[in-house]
Amino acid sequence: MKVSMTVNGIPANAEIDPRTLLVQFLRENLSLTGTHVGCDTSQCGACTVIVNGNAVKSCSALAAQFQDAQVTTIEGIAGPGGELHPMQAAFKECHGLQCGFCTTGMIMCAIDIAKHHPNASEREIREQLKGNMCRCTGYHNIVKAVQAGAANMSGG
Amino acid sequence: MNAPSEHETGIGASVRRKEDYRFVTGSGKYTDDVQIPGQTYAYFLRSPHAHATIRSIDTSAARSAPGVIAVLTGDDLAADKVGGVPCGWLITDVNGQPMKEPPHPALAQGKVRHVGDQVALIVAATYLQAKDAAELIEVDYDALPAVADARDALKSGAPVVHDIAHDNKCYTWALGDKAAVDATFARAHHVTRIELINNRLVPNAIEPRAALAQYNRGDDSYTLYVANQNPHVERLLLTAFVLGLPEHKMRVIAPDVGGGFGSKIFLYAEDVVLAWASKKLNRPVKWTAERSESFLTDAHGRDHATVAEMAVGADGKFLAMRVHTVANLGAYLSTFSTSVPTILYATLLAGQYSTPHIYAEIDGVFTNTTPVDAYRGAGRPEAAYVVERLVSTVAREMNIDDVELRRRNFITSFPYQTPVALQYDIGDFNACLDGAVELADVAGFPARREEAKRRGKLRGLGFSTYIEACGLAPSNIAGALGARAGLYEVGEIRVHPTGSVTVFTGSHSHGQGHETTFAQIVSARLGIPFEQVDIVHGDTGRVPFGMGTYGSRSLAVGGSAIVKALDKIEAKGKRIAAHLLEASASDIEFKDGKFTIIGTDRSVPFAQIALAAYVPHNYPLDKLEPGLNETAFYDPTNFTFPAGAHICEVEVDPETGAVEVAAMTAVDDFGNIINPMIVEGQVHGGLAQGIGQALLENCVYDKSTAQLLSGSYMDYAMPRAEDLPNFKVGSRVTPCTHNPLGAKGCGEAGAIGSPPAVINAVINALSPLGVTHLDMPASPERVWNAIQSARQSAQPSANPAP
């Protein structure tokens, strides 16, 4: 079947097996390998992308569900010259990552948190992050990064 | 002392990491991201039985399924004479006999021995096609009785996992003076005895294991991309011990690796099969584990059942300790599995204490479960858990304050020879404990407990101190103890003509930030900008032979190799400078990036020396080779001994059994620290894994069928952000005395010190109710049940026993 959507502002069309997951479409058809797969039960959140303004776990959604959708992946949030998005910068500044594997999904989730809860407390951030797993950092610095990134995004 | 500013890059500065730009932008390159033209996709058909005889395998329907290129089984592997997966450490039994080392075929031959054991490989044009075709394979199994618990496996009549070990014992191994220990126990004032389980864990790096093997017909060589912590050892085992190839015919590349925690140290059967298949099919073959496969096939961690006793004098001094542990090794011997419950465990049972006599005996046992091997800390967390649970139990039984009892028994004079083989070079255990007591505000605890009580909650404080042996070494001693590999590390410094530097290290980074830490060392030493230093690791085609990263060895051993190579660069630089400055090399000093004639203002900068070495126009070619490229192999003379004190404060809800970590404090001594930010991050991660073990994580097998019950994130409770507190982390420094950096290692500390602190805290909270023991994880159900049992046994029974 044919599917077409806009990914990071660029039209993307392909002929796909109807079983193709959104994450497979991004990684294999579009070579956008920044979106990762960490589990097969949609528990870990490494595959989080933003679709039409909301965070979506791309490993548990079919690409075919997103006909004509606007999809943003980790590759689509930095500035045109490679300047980091405020949330990316916050993760780097706060040492909110180690191996980097969960990081891209974590950042996409964090942007979603900042958008919907711009003044979230530490406790609220921890609750909001519960759909994303990190095995390296113990979350201490991720929570700090989300707080700092949210403040930067709102110009604070 | 002035703390380095945020923008400094020297030793001791919290430099922001070089590697982060690619990670936060999604530009990292993990194994599954690698694409090779013509690549095919592999799927492994795995055993649904824990133990079964394979009567037959019918692959005909699968072979003709759409997209399928090949279906291969154990018979094909045997026909091609592909060897089994070897174990890297030979343990000698108490009777002087070598351990039992059963074969581990890379695809099952005749029998399967755990759920997930691999039975066939399907290679197809797409992953989905390979997976679909696997459904068409018919395997006729004759299911056999299975055993999951190592203690059950030792009982007479238990199912036999391997024919060469009818009692299921791989070995019984012992360390220490049994007679002296027994004699001391016989006359002790007090004996404390505990029985405990160190629960089995699944390492769960968020990146699943993956491998992509490519055979290159043109030169009869292989390239293997693999998510692995030590590519050279992977290559050595795969070529020399399994496939029978010369090493130079295989290049192993471990690109960005998404966490390891031990589970990616090992040579796995999948890697063998993929490499073999890539030649057989003359196509690149790629496999990426699904998470459910990771649960079934990544080597698990821990799984000890232990009885431990401490003989104590009337003054609270520890006199002797006796430990018996049954260690579950799983169905096959993973690469370092045999060393974990022996060399890496029993040698740490002295902890921080001057117990004069210790005797430990370990049974390593086969079961029908996934192989068990090193997981974050590898043996040391198991040791610390035994020691610290025992010490806190002594404190309670003898009514001595936890902190006071520890202080009374601390080793305070160094070097210190333990009764279990190690010689601690240095430490200051009181300093860490003092620091932790202050940071955790132990003095304020009684008030907090009272306040919690008013809210109906039980608050507890738990202590633990630990010591670990890092930077496994030296090679000759490890060899005498059964290691089948060396334990040195390599550093190669390649100075480029314009003065920038590439460092090739044999250690491997899978989140530890080596690209930053190592660059700080080189930049500080050579006086060149941090940005002009690049670190290369993880590629046997580029890096000299090294041993990879595990056991917190990268800085202490790998970093020291880099320092040794820098020494050589400096020495050669002095000779070049001596020529350029027309002086004697012995009169040249190197400081702040300049070679200077001592006592003068005549100097040449480092970059000019580099240029002279590569553009040797005015150069003493008769005395010196051109080029500025030096390599050093560093084999340490001893382990390093990081140590610390952890204090956990918990609050238990007696109505639900839920435990909340109210505060977690860690004060550690890692020796000299290069990048405090990175070190703190490592501690945080370790604490999370340790708290995860203590409260949440548990790998559970059905006792009768040996089916894995906790086989996904739906059933295995991984710590999430809301399960953990912010951490209070501090440090005290006693530099390691025998490596040039004075570094000890920090990666495992959090996972070693925290589990006993958490469980001691939970028991402390529950002890007013009479609870004296709980096994990990202290889940709400277990805590609630412990509370109910304690309450019932505290009251006279309403219904007399029949």
Side-chain angles (χ1 to χ4, degrees):
Chain A
M1 66 178 293
K2 277 194 165 59
V3 66
S4 57
M5 61 185 85
T6 303
V7 179
N8 301 330
I10 300 168
N13 311 293
E15 185 75 34
I16 57 168
D17 183 323
R19 290 181 291 177
T20 305
L21 299 167
L22 178 59
V23 68
Q24 291 168 328
F25 178 71
L26 296 170
R27 288 179 57 82
E28 288 160 28
N29 293 79
L30 307 183
S31 293
L32 293 170
T33 55
T35 302
H36 299 145
V37 180
C39 72
D40 35 37
T41 50
S42 73
Q43 300 283 308
C44 84
C47 64
T48 306
V49 297
I50 293 176
V51 181
N52 297 333
N54 290 307
V56 163
K57 288 183 175 175
S58 62
C59 81
S60 45
L62 296 167
Q65 292 172 260
F66 300 101
Q67 181 64 30
D68 301 327
Q70 298 283 330
V71 178
T72 305
T73 72
I74 190 73
E75 289 91 346
I77 60 171
E83 319 84 87
L84 296 179
H85 180 282
M87 192 60 79
Q88 290 174 309
F91 269 71
K92 186 175 194 298
E93 183 60 28
C94 298
H95 190 33
L97 65 149
Q98 288 182 26
C99 79
F101 193 82
C102 77
T103 307
T104 48
M106 200 68 84
I107 288 172
M108 299 311 282
C109 174
I111 290 171
D112 191 63
I113 295 172
K115 191 176 140 198
H116 293 103
H117 311 274
N119 300 308
S121 67
E122 185 208 314
R123 175 45 54 189
E124 287 164 339
I125 289 171
R126 285 183 180 275
E127 285 168 9
Q128 292 291 323
L129 280 174
K130 73 180 169 192
N132 288 63
M133 285 179 190
C134 172
R135 193 57 155 167
C136 296
T137 64
Y139 305 101
H140 180 111
N141 288 343
I142 289 177
V143 174
K144 285 202 300 194
V146 177
Q147 250 171 342
N152 291 341
M153 279 170 66
S154 62
Chain B
M1 186 178 106
N2 293 323
S5 87
E6 277 187 15
H7 303 292
E8 287 182 13
T9 61
I11 306 292
S14 287
V15 187
R16 299 309 186 255
R17 301 197 317 171
K18 267 176 178 278
E19 45 271 78
D20 285 356
Y21 185 85
R22 73 172 185 274
F23 291 145
V24 299
T25 55
S27 322
K29 190 73 120 178
Y30 301 88
T31 299
D32 189 57
D33 301 339
V34 178
Q35 304 276 343
I36 297 179
Q39 74 187 18
T40 62
Y41 294 83
Y43 182 83
F44 286 95
L45 180 72
R46 299 185 180 281
S47 169
H49 298 286
H51 198 193
T53 303
I54 300 173
R55 284 207 190 104
S56 64
I57 305 176
D58 181 353
T59 61
S60 52
R63 276 190 276 125
S64 55
V68 169
I69 295 160
V71 181
L72 301 169
T73 67
D75 287 347
D76 300 306
L77 201 72
D80 285 356
K81 298 190 167 40
V82 175
V85 183
C87 178
W89 204 299
L90 179 73
I91 296 297
T92 303
D93 197 273
V94 275
N95 303 316
Q97 299 299 310
M99 69 185 191
K100 305 273 176 41
E101 196 176 1
H104 180 188
L107 286 172
Q109 292 170 7
K111 260 188 188 178
V112 288
R113 291 186 174 82
H114 67 91
V115 176
D117 204 351
Q118 48 204 42
V119 173
L121 172 78
I122 303 95
V123 181
T126 73
Y127 181 71
L128 289 175
Q129 287 172 330
K131 199 172 174 179
D132 286 348
E135 298 280 332
L136 303 173
I137 298 175
E138 287 187 23
V139 186
D140 185 6
Y141 292 105
D142 185 9
L144 300 168
V147 62
D149 187 303
R151 291 164 300 174
D152 291 343
L154 291 177
K155 290 176 184 162
S156 82
V160 174
V161 182
H162 291 284
D163 293 340
I164 66 162
H166 276 270
D167 57 359
N168 288 322
K169 266 192 201 177
C170 176
Y171 53 72
T172 296
W173 182 88
L175 182 65
D177 184 339
K178 184 171 190 302
V181 167
D182 288 347
T184 309
F185 267 91
R187 58 179 165 76
H189 166 79
H190 178 86
V191 171
T192 288
R193 182 179 189 278
I194 58 172
E195 286 185 40
L196 53 81
I197 303 289
N198 200 301
N199 50 322
R200 187 176 180 117
L201 302 173
V202 183
N204 271 314
I206 302 296
E207 181 210 22
R209 276 194 302 121
L212 168 56
Q214 180 181 30
Y215 175 69
N216 314 291
R217 182 161 280 178
D219 60 357
D220 188 31
S221 72
Y222 299 77
T223 306
L224 177 70
Y225 291 87
V226 59
N228 189 276
Q229 297 173 222
N230 51 358
H232 279 98
V233 174
E234 166 99 13
R235 183 182 68 166
L236 174 66
L237 293 171
L238 195 46
T239 55
F241 291 87
V242 181
L243 296 175
L245 298 169
E247 275 182 278
H248 71 282
K249 287 296 182 189
M250 181 170 286
R251 177 177 178 189
V252 174
I253 301 171
D256 286 327
V257 172
F261 317 112
S263 68
K264 292 173 184 165
I265 304 174
F266 323 121
L267 172 65
Y268 281 96
E270 288 90 351
D271 309 350
V272 172
V273 175
L274 294 166
W276 163 69
S278 76
K279 177 172 182 180
K280 206 169 177 66
L281 309 178
N282 196 28
R283 293 282 296 273
V285 187
K286 184 184 209 170
W287 169 74
T288 305
E290 296 187 340
R291 181 56 57 183
S292 54
E293 283 183 287
S294 301
F295 274 97
L296 289 172
T297 67
D298 291 4
H300 294 168
R302 318 290 190 245
D303 205 345
H304 281 195
T306 296
V307 178
E309 298 165 283
M310 185 78 92
V312 192
D315 56 357
K317 294 283 274 183
F318 305 153
L319 304 175
M321 186 177 167
R322 189 158 53 197
V323 175
H324 178 248
T325 292
V326 176
N328 195 339
L329 300 173
Y332 301 106
L333 297 178
S334 176
T335 311
F336 295 116
S337 56
T338 49
S339 65
V340 176
T342 51
I343 311 293
L344 298 179
Y345 164 70
T347 53
L348 269 301
L349 286 169
Q352 301 190 348
Y353 310 110
S354 58
T355 312
H357 306 291
I358 300 174
Y359 176 72
E361 197 171 287
I362 288 91
D363 288 315
V365 180
F366 296 113
T367 59
N368 295 111
T369 62
T370 296
V372 180
D373 205 326
Y375 164 65
R376 203 166 192 165
R380 288 85 99 190
E382 294 92 318
Y385 190 63
V386 169
V387 174
E388 291 302 301
R389 287 285 299 110
L390 195 51
V391 168
S392 280
T393 308
V394 171
R396 196 183 60 249
E397 287 179 358
M398 296 185 71
N399 199 25
I400 303 172
D401 177 76
D402 258 296
V403 173
E404 167 60 24
L405 179 67
R406 284 174 169 84
R407 286 195 205 288
R408 238 180 255 184
N409 287 284
F410 275 161
I411 296 158
T412 53
S413 171
F414 297 89
Y416 176 82
Q417 178 63 50
T418 75
V420 278
L422 299 180
Q423 189 181 75
Y424 302 162
D425 65 329
I426 195 165
D428 185 346
F429 305 142
N430 276 302
C432 286
L433 186 55
D434 289 346
V437 165
E438 191 187 332
L439 197 57
D441 185 24
V442 170
F445 173 72
R448 294 194 294 277
R449 182 167 52 192
E450 281 309 305
E451 188 275 332
K453 201 172 168 183
R454 285 195 290 278
R455 288 183 284 109
K457 302 291 169 62
L458 300 165
R459 211 163 170 102
L461 197 62
F463 296 84
S464 116
T465 68
Y466 73 90
I467 189 160
E468 66 164 322
C470 290
L472 290 180
S475 290
N476 53 359
I477 298 205
L481 293 171
R484 289 163 163 173
L487 292 168
Y488 52 82
E489 198 46 83
V490 69
E492 179 186 342
I493 313 281
R494 202 174 291 174
V495 179
H496 305 297
T498 55
S500 67
V501 171
T502 306
V503 178
F504 298 82
T505 172
S507 64
H508 183 274
S509 181
H510 26 281
Q512 297 91 339
H514 298 167
E515 289 168 52
T516 302
T517 304
F518 291 172
Q520 283 177 262
I521 295 168
V522 175
S523 152
R525 176 72 179 271
L526 297 181
I528 60 176
F530 172 74
E531 293 75 16
Q532 289 192 16
V533 184
D534 266 353
I535 309 296
V536 175
H537 65 89
D539 182 349
T540 64
R542 301 177 74 190
V543 175
F545 195 102
M547 295 297 297
T549 287
Y550 50 88
S552 295
R553 69 191 301 273
S554 290
L555 183 63
V557 190
S560 292
I562 290 170
V563 170
K564 296 285 183 188
L566 286 166
D567 291 344
K568 295 184 184 179
I569 293 283
E570 181 176 313
K572 185 165 181 186
K574 280 181 178 171
R575 293 176 68 196
I576 300 170
H579 171 76
L580 296 179
L581 293 168
E582 296 177 333
S584 160
S586 59
D587 291 338
I588 305 285
E589 67 174 0
F590 181 58
K591 216 174 133 187
D592 301 330
K594 286 185 301 196
F595 293 91
T596 306
I597 302 176
I598 296 166
T600 74
D601 58 359
R602 295 182 57 216
S603 67
V604 276
F606 178 75
Q608 194 179 328
I609 296 295
L611 191 65
Y614 287 98
V615 186
H617 297 163
N618 175 18
Y619 193 87
L621 287 165
D622 54 336
K623 299 190 193 81
L624 268 179
E625 285 177 24
L628 198 49
N629 184 5
E630 298 285 356
T631 303
F633 287 80
Y634 174 72
D635 199 313
T637 55
N638 193 359
F639 295 93
T640 64
F641 295 100
H646 292 191
I647 299 175
C648 181
E649 191 164 327
V650 298
E651 197 165 283
V652 179
D653 182 342
E655 300 305 317
T656 64
V659 177
E660 186 193 349
V661 179
M664 186 74 218
T665 304
V667 175
D668 302 285
D669 178 356
F670 301 131
N672 291 333
I673 288 171
I674 310 295
N675 185 319
M677 176 191 80
I678 287 176
V679 168
E680 280 194 19
Q682 292 282 297
V683 174
H684 295 166
L687 291 174
Q689 292 190 10
I691 296 170
Q693 172 172 25
L695 296 181
L696 300 163
E697 297 180 44
N698 207 20
C699 178
V700 182
Y701 280 90
D702 182 273
K703 269 176 91 80
S704 58
T705 63
Q707 286 287 334
L708 179 63
L709 301 180
S710 51
S712 80
Y713 287 148
M714 313 287 277
D715 325 293
Y716 185 94
M718 284 272 282
R720 295 168 189 272
E722 62 179 351
D723 298 316
L724 298 168
N726 278 333
F727 306 115
K728 296 190 225 177
V729 172
S731 69
R732 297 291 183 273
V733 174
T734 61
C736 171
T737 59
H738 55 84
N739 69 47
L741 287 165
K744 296 180 179 176
C746 65
E748 302 166 308
I752 297 172
S754 59
V758 175
I759 295 299
N760 283 337
V762 174
I763 291 171
N764 180 252
L766 302 181
S767 60
L769 305 177
V771 175
T772 58
H773 176 75
L774 261 179
D775 277 321
M776 298 186 288
S779 62
E781 185 206 11
R782 282 189 182 177
V783 172
W784 188 85
N785 279 327
I787 293 171
Q788 301 313 311
S789 318
R791 280 179 177 158
Q792 277 164 16
S793 58
Q795 291 165 1
S797 175
N799 303 307

